[in-house]
Amino acid sequence: MTARRLARGGLVDRSVPLAFRFDGMDLSGFAGDTVASALMANNVALVGRSFKLHRPRGFFGAGHEDGIMVSRLAPRPATNQLATVTPLEADASYVSVSTWPDARRDVGAVAQWFSRLLPAGFYYKTFMAPNWHLFEPFIRGAAGLGRVPDPAWQPVSESRYGDCDVLVVGAGPAGLGAALTAARSGASVMLVDDGEGPGGRLVSDGIDDGGWASRTFAELHTMASVRLLCRATVWGYHEHNLLTVIERRPADAPDLDLRNWKIRAGQVVIAAGAHERPIPFADGDRPGIMLASAARSFLHRHGVLAGERAVVFANNDSARGAALDLAAAGAAVTLVDIRPDPGGTQAAMLAGRGVTLVAGGCVLRAIGRKRVEAVQLRQADGRLSTFPCDLVAVSGGWNPAFHLASQTREARSVWHDDLATFVASHGEGRFRLAGAARGIFEAGACIRDGVEAGQAAVRTLGRTGPAIEAPDLDDPFVARSVAPLWFVPPRRPGEKVFVDLSGDVTTADLGLALREGYDSIELVKRYTTAGMGVDQGKSGNVNVIGIVGALTGQATDLVGTTTFRPPFVPVEFGAIAGARQQARLYPWRHTPLADWHLARGAVMYEAGLRWQRPGYYPLPGEDGKAAASREARAVRNGVGVYDGTPLGKFQIKGPDAGRLLDLVYISDFGKVAVGRGKYGVMMSDDGLIMDDGVAFRLAENRWLLHSSTGAADKVHAHLEQIMQVHRPDWQVSILPVTTQWANATLCGPRARDLLAALKPDFDISRAALPFMGMAEGHLGTIPVRVFRVSWTGEMSFELNTPARHATALWEMVMAAGAPFAITPVGSEANHILRVEAGYISTGHEVDGTADPYDLGLGALVSATKPDFLGKHAMMMRRALDPERCELVGLLPGDPERSVPEGAPLTPGGDKVGQEGFVSACVRSVALDRVIALGLLRRGRSRMGEIVHARVRNEIVPLRVVAPVFHDADRARVRS
Amino acid sequence: MLQISCPWCGTRPEGEFICLGEAVPPRPDPAALSEAEWAAALANRANIRGLHAERWWHVRSCGRILTIWRDTVSHAIVPPPDGTAALEVKP
């Protein structure tokens, strides 16, 4: 009793045999096979195990409505390949997923015996305590998803843009009609089909169209304005007619595995066809039971007869075509139609063509474990019998595939009584449904409907779509007069009626969800996972809706559908990314000195906003900590130089520039003299610190504002909004100039001596160039602008030069600095130095909750300005809760004990709510011990107290001290 | 991905813009508001299902901030129903 390949028929090329392996068996198929059809042709019925219970499974559908996946070991190792749409390749090797050792002898099948213990919601209820993540790896391992056979191999993918006047989804009768008339009107057309070739139902149902489909496809092929995509699926309908398409093994690029298209279409014709749905019955998931359309498709597309003794189980006319085709191919066919009088007098016609009709009958249960061996039948008069068979082809009606239309949120789904399913309304003019996708099933009518849709589409573009000479087609058996039957109730408790094969969901699971109060269809879906499997409920979802309606006593249309969302089919993330991965998606930013740093042996990493900066410059044999300490000591004792290029820089210009700074900073800027700078803290209007930095007044109406490296984009957006939206009448503009300037920051007690050695043509004396002063001039021939700012607690000169002079300036500094033992310093040393000096840092102390008073910057808050951004909210918040976390210094009891940054401070170190946290912790070179900064509730009033940090299960005592460990009177900074 | 019409640059893809959210009115004077009113102005947004005004910053092109009217369900962008200019530019 077998499935077998027929001598004739189908689109496979019998002159090209392809040897392949599946689960250790050596098999053979033909060119043109899918993995699924080749397995069917070899009579391999059991091809996988179900997702949760590991029940034996075979192919249920012939396309994306099926859920059987395989892993491909060779060529190009990959997993989770849908067998029904994966072309068979020569000498390929496949294995079933989530089975061990293979699908036939799967050990995990013991899960079936415990199925009573695995109802819907089982995992949510059982694995709550102590932590879901403890159980997750085991459950995921047992569930039905494959392991990547060889992670080293990655699919080669491409991401590509396209555009067209008319995008036609589906190359069945309706899609071909629409594409042809649109193309003949002169419009540019893209025709996308997820099969290997055109025709849709004309091919899979073996409808004689006299060659119309291939002639039409050939004509489209010759037209320069038409692009045909086969083996491609439109998976998303996004805003403003942007559609995403996944193309597998593109015909024009043999080196590509996947190509993801983003296509902007003028008009869209959705001719995606329809999905047949089952009539679920007890044990109706056994291998050998499939949709009638699948049996028909395997027959006509691949020349494979799925069984020799077939029962066709139906509630509508369409399955009659399948019954007749299977009989014509040599199978003994019994048509069990639940309708007492299906279509009147056709019993004789069916009998004459080899089909026995059982009108008013019903299939109650499948018999057989690894393959269906018989069904239990109930005749119209109530008699029960056991009927041997090796194939059950089932048809419970058809669901139009309007998913894409529904994704637009413009089409509404409405109930159609005669078809017993949902159909969709048209949209607001940018797309149309055609053919089976809107419930028109007869093939000739589909062509005509497609032509009308194509004409309507091009009309909106000012074109005229010509009429098409459509053939008369003989297609008498389509879904109509559907007698809805959502499932056959089991006769004995414990019999399983699977309604969603991909998610392993039974009718009992749906009942349980409803009993437990998950009464909306969206909740039923999430609780049971119905419709959330690989097939996304393409065939079974309407059954789920119907069953929920029946169990709750609601009309099916009132239950409604779940929300349709992309992707329509599973899409690999790698295909969406294409080549744009990691640094190619988010490029690094490099200063003009990157090569200099690398040549110097710098270890580079990101320092905010994708800027690559030197972390430290290790000497041979030196680790990162030792290098950072050495660099920091050089700054404390001599002179260092660091690359401050990435610091955000904005030129603010205009008569109202001062007003803008007074609005965005907490301090008074109006009185700053030309040639002087001022430190400012910038708050958002909700009273929290956004950033800090120094602004220099370059001229009466021209300022240079500095932001921290990582906050530059945020500060830019903030200032633009204020200027363009909130103060559009102010005369002020902003120009980002970060990358126009390169920087060498000299810092340390010998910094002025070094600057003098660089032969400045300007006065660098303490009187002429004091802290927060600036100067412009030349060092030799190199133009510089010098700012006196410090973030290290030492005298600093920030030398800025137009970016093209960067390397020359650095080389000059290094040469002149040799007698001073100048040391290049990286971010790590900078971090040590700023913690010692007690300077705050965005992302550490500025954590999104702190305000200036908390950080000891209350003296900077203007006493005279009635308003600045953030003032009002800050004052309101402080009045509500005066017990704020305040910046403190922290000294561990053990001077060598480090505490991780972010460690919580809790009263007594107990496992209770935290009273602060450690914001930074370094080994100080000035004090030769570990020091830390932190935010602590009422911290400033707790000096000398011992507080406790929790580090996992260890408690580290820390003494609260002032948050300045070096140069407390700032004498060195101001020298 | 939306297509947004910039009065300076023409129709451009969404990727050139940064969304700045609902088009709130210019910042009021906090002294003129009660605390509750100020908190509402800071935090409350209409979050409309349907047509609303929102701001986009054309950061990767002209740098202007535009106000557009967009249906949050269908994403249709329509001319401003109140007749205001799409672009809030300085006089």
Side-chain angles (χ1 to χ4, degrees), chain A residues 303-315:
Chain A
V304 174
L305 183 59
E308 292 180 333
R309 277 185 73 100
V311 169
V312 178
F313 179 34
N315 64 348

Side-chain angles (χ1 to χ4, degrees), chain A residues 318-538:
Chain A
S318 72
R320 242 171 268 175
L324 290 170
D325 288 357
L326 290 169
V333 181
T334 302
L335 173 59
V336 179
D337 197 317
I338 68 160
R339 297 170 299 176
D341 181 21
T345 58
Q346 291 191 342
M349 179 278 289
L350 290 167
R353 290 166 67 180
V355 174
T356 309
L357 177 66
V358 180
C362 189
V363 172
L364 300 179
R365 186 164 75 90
I367 297 163
R369 173 160 293 277
K370 296 193 171 180
R371 179 162 192 172
V372 63
E373 291 160 7
V375 291
Q376 193 171 42
L377 268 186
R378 186 182 61 214
Q379 308 277 349
D381 57 10
R383 271 183 303 126
L384 298 181
S385 61
T386 298
F387 191 89
C389 61
D390 61 355
L391 169 67
V392 180
V394 58
S395 177
W398 289 78
N399 307 328
F402 55 79
H403 305 59
L404 292 172
S406 195
Q407 283 179 18
T408 67
R409 304 285 177 268
E410 284 181 28
R412 287 170 299 108
S413 59
V414 289
W415 184 253
H416 190 299
D417 256 333
D418 189 49
L419 302 177
T421 192
F422 293 96
V423 295
S425 64
H426 277 216
E428 289 168 14
R430 54 199 178 106
F431 68 86
R432 278 156 193 77
L433 290 148
R438 73 180 188 105
I440 293 172
F441 292 117
E442 193 272 315
C446 282
I447 298 178
R448 291 189 293 277
D449 194 47
V451 170
E452 278 174 30
Q455 288 171 330
V458 296
R459 202 176 303 128
T460 68
L461 307 167
R463 294 177 183 276
T464 306
I468 301 296
E469 56 296 347
D472 283 330
L473 299 177
D474 180 31
D475 184 23
F477 304 119
V478 296
R480 64 169 72 94
S481 312
V482 182
L485 179 59
W486 304 121
F487 72 115
V488 180
R491 297 177 65 241
R492 280 197 301 258
E495 286 183 348
K496 293 196 182 315
V497 180
F498 285 87
V499 61
D500 181 308
L501 269 58
S502 284
D504 239 9
V505 179
T506 65
T507 51
D509 291 327
L510 300 178
L512 180 70
L514 293 168
R515 283 200 304 282
E516 296 191 346
Y518 298 92
D519 54 354
S520 114
I521 189 68
E522 296 280 9
L523 294 178
V524 169
K525 165 182 165 174
R526 281 156 185 78
Y527 195 60
T528 63
T529 72
M532 292 167 67
V534 177
D535 70 354
Q536 289 282 290
K538 286 184 180 61

Side-chain angles (χ1 to χ4, degrees), chain A residues 802-886:
Chain A
R804 65 183 180 280
H805 299 299
T807 310
L809 175 66
W810 268 66
E811 282 171 352
M812 192 168 79
V813 165
M814 291 305 292
F820 305 94
I822 188 168
T823 303
V825 302
S827 316
E828 292 298 328
N830 253 294
H831 183 56
I832 295 171
L833 296 165
R834 76 97 188 161
V835 172
E836 287 182 336
Y839 291 128
I840 60 167
S841 168
T842 313
H844 286 88
E845 292 73 31
V846 180
D847 69 338
T849 68
D851 72 27
Y853 291 99
D854 300 335
L855 299 183
L857 302 172
L860 299 179
V861 177
S862 166
T864 55
K865 287 195 289 190
D867 184 26
F868 55 82
L869 293 187
K871 177 177 184 180
H872 208 63
M874 173 173 67
M875 294 311 183
M876 278 168 64
R877 189 179 287 111
R878 294 190 71 81
L880 280 173
D881 179 13
E883 297 227 325
R884 306 277 303 170
C885 282
E886 294 166 342

